[in-house]
Amino acid sequence: MPDQTATNMEAAYPSVDGFLPPEPDPPAEGVRDFENFKKYMDAVNEYVRAAQKYIDGATNDANDIIKKRNDAVQKAQQMVDRYNASLPKEEKK
């Protein structure tokens, strides 16, 4: 069972809140106030783009972590294989 307290991170992973612009509010008049509604629509698009950038970065970070974890598994297995190869045949279990 993995150690649930183990971590290699020196700091907490950044929260999405630090990457998102302020949440835009729709204009009180809705689409009837076309000029302000367009500004609102642009702000929503900016918000979604910022969220997507965070998602893409988090996915890239997770993939890098998984690759490095797999490299560690491979190195540990190589060491076990090397150890097993050094044992006389009758001592291997």
Side-chain angles (χ1 to χ4, degrees):
M1 180 154 167
D3 179 353
Q4 299 297 317
T5 63
T7 184
N8 295 323
M9 294 181 63
E10 295 178 9
Y13 195 78
S15 166
V16 68
D17 295 331
F19 289 81
L20 296 175
E23 291 184 15
D25 292 319
E29 296 294 316
V31 294
R32 289 181 292 211
D33 181 357
F34 181 76
E35 187 175 318
N36 283 326
F37 192 81
K38 180 162 178 357
K39 289 177 187 176
Y40 171 64
M41 182 178 67
D42 292 343
V44 168
N45 285 331
E46 179 185 340
Y47 190 91
V48 171
R49 279 192 301 272
Q52 186 61 55
K53 185 173 181 179
Y54 178 88
I55 292 165
D56 292 345
T59 299
N60 292 338
D61 295 343
N63 287 338
D64 187 50
I65 289 168
I66 290 167
K67 181 190 176 307
K68 289 175 180 173
R69 180 210 54 200
N70 291 346
D71 290 347
V73 169
Q74 183 180 20
K75 287 179 179 280
Q77 186 59 55
Q78 288 171 348
M79 187 54 58
V80 169
D81 293 345
R82 185 173 167 194
Y83 169 81
N84 286 336
S86 71
L87 293 175
K89 232 179 186 170
E90 61 276 357
E91 292 183 31
K92 290 183 184 178
K93 296 181 180 182

